Amino acid sequence: MTMELKNIKGIGDKTLKILKSEGIDDIQSLLYLVPKNYIQYHLTDFDMLNEMNLRCIVSEAPEIQRLKKVIKISFKVTYEGLIINAVAFNMTFLKNTLKVGDEIVLVGRYDQDFKSIQVTKVFKEREYKEGIIPEYNIEGINNSNYQKIVLEALKFYEPKNSLIPEEYYLKYGYKTGIDLFKSIHSPISMTEAYKAIEALKYYELLSFSIRMSIIRSNIEKEVKVPKKPDLEKVKEFIKSIPFELTQDQKNAVNTIFSDMKLNHPMSTLLEGDVGSGKTIIAIISIYAAITSGSQALVMAPTEVLSFQHYENFKSYFKDFNVRVECLTSSTKTKEREAILKGLKNGDIDVVIGTHSLLNNEVVFKNLGFVVCDEQHKFGVEQRKIIREKGNNPDVLYMTATPIPRTLSLTLFNDMKLVSVKTMPKNRKSIITKIHTYKEYLKVLEFVESELKEGRQAYFVSPLIEDDSENSNVLKVKNDLESYFKNYKIGLLHGKMTSEEKEDVINKFMNHEIDILSSTTVIEVGINNPNASIMVILDASSFGLSSLHQLRGRVGRGSDTGYCFLLVSKTEQIDKLKILEETQDGFLISEEDLRLRGPGDFLGVNQSGKLNFRFADFVKDKKILENAINDAKELIKNYNVYTYYNSHLYSDKFD
Ligand code: ADP
Ligand code: MG
């Protein structure tokens, strides 16, 4: 039986409640709460230059003085016969706690301006302890009490036998089990503490990397029937495309073709900046798969994008005897049934829709090729479901958010990476400017000048959870209507029905609408070459990659595109600055990863696993690389493989 927290010495009802509210409900979680910081205390002499821990006696009681912004507390102490001034700021409680004659330890530095020690901490002599003190910063439990509880709990901790052979942690000098937690909660030196935290990061990344390696090796073991595309037909199709493919597009198509011909399923991540022309690569590949007798499925993150793809695919395939259908959650029952039937009996060649296509009801005669557009919205588990649809289909994931290398090594380890780096010729640049709302009128004037030239504009507002989402874009729309009296404004947001959405998008495409006031439903995919302006409101509430995506909606025609990012505070400008400076999606995504962590790259909801507890993708690159390399070896170990293979998608950190 494991010991319960309430039975541990030092944990009363009050403490138990606080721990609960911090998510701590057993010994394990108590131990895994890593200190936010460590402070090193040791007694010093009086010292004008360095930080002091001075054992002294209060010789003059504190006096309080209210200055403009702070409260200054001055008092005097004696240290070995020396009388020294001390000042502290805002620590008003000292007034009542320090009495003449008290033995105390002052922590602080000598300040030349005040001719005093500037105090940062005051201890009663008997409460002061030399050594390294962990700081947990839990409200209601002071740091030394938390430490006491942990050390007490450690007596009852029964570590599991680790599956990882000893040599792996020995080679980095990492401790395990009880010793590890001692180092974390009661280290003798800072080095020991940091090393122990590094060990936790390593174990966490290792456990993650092992899972990813197993997923990959499992995929490599899968078999499929190799495809035999009819190359004559494919060439004919490529000839019908109204532009010449770029070299990168050709390379991508070739890579995909050779993977189709293999006898294990393809899993490829096609990354290319927005506008780099990924869709046509998917269309050609799908056509090739169809000529080989397969059906194809195209999954888009939103209905809006599904409709777009649907129109686009239909027009490319119109002379090639390919039947395309669109199936979303709002397809009418009758039509839906007809589509399901057509997929089952093989009459339909391509079906486009959202993730509802992964539904069990959707059955294919021979699904051989799957495209996931904007795949970063699909997490590791979704990828598993996709792979299991049909008979081990080839899967092509497409993303306009370039994946930083560290991420692709781990999260996308189950895929082959293919990049489209060059843009189609004649791509116009996008001029990006960040403004505060003070300059909003100027922006509107500029928008008007473009509208006069016959161009169109997007106004994007952030998605706000709850119903004000709609009122927000609606308000923007109303404001725009009163400003741009001679122009038509359309509204697009996630809560509209799909008919309404389709209708407004068609109107925008046909220029019956001049401005589209929208939420981020347009983030991916909408392609209106006549739109030249993108105005993003409250831009600082978006990630850099999302902003880059959004602005990619303009500058698609023969004119320069303009993107205006509006922020409420000047301080917010700095973080977005990189968008004014570069259009390189790679640089931007690296910066995004640095600023916001990896959550955005997979869509936070679907990827709890990404948010590591101890490790940080960016800062802990070296540890991550070690973990990845070790994982590759470790999955050859029977015990490791068996255990992790049966816990592949578990969230648990062990
Ligand atoms: P994304 O990679 O962002 O999905 P799309 O596939 O939507 O980009 O392509 C953007 C636009 O570029 C489309 O209008 C497409 O027809 C066009 N396009 C794609 N490839 C080329 C090319 N090689 N030459 C000219 N235009 C191209
Ligand atoms: Mg696209």
Side-chain angles (χ1 to χ4, degrees):
M1 248 288 282
T2 45
M3 183 83 159
E4 282 187 57
L5 281 188
K6 63 171 194 252
N7 298 328
I8 284 171
K9 213 171 87 191
I11 303 188
D13 286 348
K14 196 179 133 227
T15 309
L16 199 65
K17 227 170 137 185
I18 298 172
L19 291 177
K20 263 242 157 64
S21 72
E22 295 281 329
I24 296 169
D25 50 12
D26 57 9
I27 292 187
Q28 179 107 348
S29 47
L30 187 76
L31 297 179
Y32 274 109
L33 191 111
V34 166
K36 305 259 177 337
N37 195 10
Y38 294 91
I39 296 190
Q40 199 156 18
Y41 293 111
H42 60 96
L43 287 173
T44 61
D45 251 339
F46 181 72
D47 183 338
M48 303 277 271
L49 300 173
N50 301 301
E51 190 175 78
M52 292 172 265
N53 282 206
L54 209 59
R55 179 193 280 158
C56 51
I57 294 171
V58 179
S59 54
E60 220 177 284
E63 278 180 22
I64 285 191
Q65 196 185 352
R66 282 169 205 280
L67 304 178
K68 239 185 260 152
K69 283 190 178 143
V70 292
I71 301 171
K72 181 177 163 198
I73 297 104
S74 329
F75 56 101
K76 286 193 167 60
V77 295
T78 39
Y79 170 74
E80 300 194 342
L82 207 63
I83 298 178
I84 304 164
N85 294 325
V87 293
F89 294 99
N90 295 332
M91 298 159 81
T92 41
F93 59 89
L94 291 178
K95 171 84 184 154
N96 300 321
T97 47
L98 292 188
K99 306 264 171 332
V100 172
D102 282 354
E103 287 184 57
I104 58 170
V105 176
L106 284 188
V107 178
R109 273 175 186 275
Y110 192 76
D111 188 308
Q112 290 294 349
D113 297 335
F114 291 104
K115 299 273 178 283
S116 311
I117 297 181
Q118 188 175 330
V119 175
T120 51
K121 264 200 167 101
V122 182
F123 291 92
K124 299 264 175 206
E125 213 276 334
R126 68 192 128 78
E127 281 169 11
Y128 178 83
K129 208 174 93 195
E130 281 190 301
I132 294 170
I133 308 298
E135 295 206 310
Y136 301 92
N137 301 336
I138 297 178
E139 225 177 283
I141 307 181
N142 82 33
N143 292 323
S144 67
N145 280 346
Y146 192 90
Q147 188 190 31
K148 272 186 212 144
I149 296 171
V150 171
L151 295 179
E152 190 60 31
L154 207 47
K155 293 182 192 158
F156 304 98
Y157 176 56
E158 298 156 14
K160 277 196 309 187
N161 273 340
S162 176
L163 287 166
I164 312 296
E166 214 178 14
E167 67 209 64
Y168 282 89
Y169 35 83
L170 287 184
K171 81 172 162 182
Y172 304 108
Y174 295 149
K175 294 179 182 169
T176 55
I178 293 178
D179 291 342
L180 177 66
F181 291 110
K182 275 202 179 131
S183 298
I184 287 171
H185 297 287
S186 150
I188 306 292
S189 69
M190 292 294 206
T191 322
E192 182 186 347
Y194 288 132
K195 190 80 190 173
I197 291 175
E198 190 186 303
L200 280 186
K201 293 176 174 187
Y202 170 77
Y203 296 138
E204 183 174 39
L205 291 170
L206 185 64
S207 137
F208 178 79
S209 306
I210 290 173
R211 291 189 167 94
M212 292 309 287
S213 298
I214 293 179
I215 293 175
R216 180 177 191 138
S217 86
N218 287 349
I219 293 169
E220 282 166 1
K221 279 183 231 150
E222 297 283 348
V223 288
K224 70 155 199 243
V225 180
K227 295 188 178 56
K228 297 195 194 77
D230 181 334
L231 290 180
E232 282 313 308
K233 279 187 174 171
V234 175
K235 274 187 197 144
E236 205 52 39
F237 180 70
I238 292 178
K239 257 197 230 147
S240 78
I241 297 170
F243 46 77
E244 162 106 39
L245 296 179
T246 64
Q247 193 53 48
D248 279 2
Q249 285 173 321
K250 287 180 192 162
N251 294 345
V253 167
N254 286 333
T255 308
I256 294 167
F257 276 29
S258 40
D259 286 345
M260 278 187 191
K261 294 178 198 157
L262 300 179
N263 64 359
H264 61 87
M266 170 185 109
S267 173
T268 292
L269 175 61
L270 179 63
E271 61 170 5
D273 222 335
V274 343
S276 61
K278 295 182 293 294
T279 318
I280 197 67
I281 297 172
I283 293 178
I284 297 169
S285 310
I286 285 175
Y287 186 66
I290 292 172
T291 64
S292 162
S294 291
Q295 290 170 291
L297 179 162
V298 178
M299 213 158 28
T302 62
E303 286 198 325
V304 171
L305 194 55
S306 308
F307 300 140
Q308 276 237 344
H309 276 325
Y310 179 52
E311 296 303 327
N312 201 9
F313 278 54
K314 267 198 307 195
S315 79
Y316 273 108
F317 285 142
K318 73 177 180 305
D319 299 327
F320 290 85
N321 190 29
V322 171
R323 188 166 159 207
V324 189
E325 293 294 344
C326 185
L327 183 66
T328 70
S329 51
S330 52
T331 308
K332 297 264 152 44
T333 316
K334 232 175 134 186
E335 200 186 335
R336 181 182 169 81
E337 272 163 14
I339 294 175
L340 290 178
K341 198 171 149 221
L343 289 172
K344 200 169 175 182
N345 68 22
D347 285 350
I348 298 173
D349 302 299
V350 188
V351 64
I352 300 171
T354 55
H355 61 272
S356 66
L357 288 176
L358 293 180
N359 200 308
N360 281 335
E361 277 184 357
V362 186
V363 181
F364 293 81
K365 184 175 181 212
N366 182 22
L367 177 64
F369 202 86
V370 177
V371 173
C372 292
D373 198 12
E374 297 309 333
Q375 87 82 34
H376 64 286
K377 298 273 148 70
F378 297 105
V380 180
E381 266 154 276
Q382 272 75 17
R383 301 211 289 267
K384 175 175 179 257
I385 300 171
I386 292 162
R387 277 196 300 271
E388 288 170 356
K389 197 97 199 158
N391 198 4
N392 275 339
D394 290 323
V395 189
L396 178 66
Y397 299 90
M398 305 201 289
T399 176
T401 308
I403 313 293
R405 204 182 113 76
T406 27
L407 277 183
S408 64
L409 275 175
T410 48
L411 300 176
F412 303 100
N413 191 7
D414 54 342
M415 305 178 190
K416 176 187 235 171
L417 196 64
V418 175
S419 308
V420 193
K421 291 233 161 90
T422 46
M423 287 286 189
K425 272 183 276 188
N426 315 325
R427 224 357 85 77
K428 286 292 181 295
S429 64
I430 303 166
I431 295 170
T432 301
K433 292 274 177 230
I434 310 167
H435 292 295
T436 60
Y437 283 100
K438 277 191 204 128
E439 294 152 318
Y440 194 33
L441 264 184
K442 269 200 260 169
V443 172
L444 293 180
E445 278 166 24
F446 186 85
V447 173
E448 188 160 25
S449 70
E450 283 285 297
L451 295 181
K452 270 192 192 136
E453 298 285 313
R455 301 285 163 271
Q456 291 164 278
Y458 299 92
F459 276 68
V460 178
S461 326
L463 258 175
I464 299 165
E465 280 175 38
D466 75 29
D467 264 332
S468 58
E469 173 200 329
N470 299 355
S471 54
N472 198 34
V473 265
L474 195 63
K475 187 177 169 300
V476 173
K477 176 180 181 260
N478 292 340
D479 290 350
L480 291 173
E481 265 164 357
S482 56
Y483 185 88
F484 296 109
K485 292 219 159 48
N486 301 324
Y487 295 96
K488 275 237 166 342
I489 324 285
L491 183 66
L492 181 64
H493 60 70
K495 297 218 166 106
M496 289 163 46
T497 68
S498 43
E499 280 107 32
E500 288 168 336
K501 282 186 211 159
E502 221 179 324
D503 181 57
V504 73
I505 288 167
N506 284 338
K507 284 192 171 133
F508 187 63
M509 299 295 253
N510 301 332
H511 205 163
E512 290 161 49
I513 285 173
D514 302 284
I515 300 179
L516 193 59
S517 165
S518 163
T519 59
T520 43
V521 283
I522 63 149
E523 178 179 343
V524 278
I526 287 195
N527 189 14
N528 177 353
N530 190 50
S532 62
I533 297 190
M534 169 65 63
V535 180
I536 303 173
L537 304 169
D538 297 339
S540 57
S541 51
F542 296 94
L544 294 174
S545 296
S546 299
L547 292 170
H548 180 63
Q549 293 280 308
L550 282 166
R551 74 172 164 184
R553 300 297 118 221
V554 297
R556 300 193 146 221
S558 47
D559 301 293
T560 303
Y562 299 91
C563 172
F564 297 98
L565 305 174
L566 283 142
V567 295
S568 33
K569 301 195 193 99
T570 20
E571 302 92 86
Q572 295 165 333
I573 294 180
D574 271 0
K575 272 192 182 166
L576 304 181
K577 209 79 196 168
I578 187 173
L579 290 165
E580 279 185 353
E581 289 157 8
T582 181
Q583 283 198 69
D584 181 336
F586 255 100
L587 281 180
I588 292 166
S589 73
E590 292 278 356
E591 178 69 7
D592 214 14
L593 180 66
R594 203 177 63 75
L595 289 175
R596 290 159 60 104
D600 281 6
F601 289 88
L602 271 185
V604 183
N605 297 336
Q606 292 104 325
S607 60
K609 276 156 238 65
L610 276 183
N611 300 315
F612 288 129
R613 226 181 124 181
F614 307 110
D616 178 316
F617 258 116
V618 187
K619 296 193 194 111
D620 302 322
K621 230 176 195 162
K622 184 66 201 150
I623 309 175
L624 177 61
E625 275 165 21
N626 290 341
I628 292 170
N629 290 331
D630 294 345
K632 277 187 205 142
E633 274 174 39
L634 274 165
I635 64 167
K636 293 176 198 147
N637 174 312
Y638 179 80
N639 291 331
V640 172
Y641 181 86
T642 320
Y643 174 79
Y644 281 98
N645 195 34
S646 59
H647 293 82
L648 272 187
Y649 297 94
S650 132
D651 249 342
K652 233 175 82 226
F653 167 57
D654 44 21

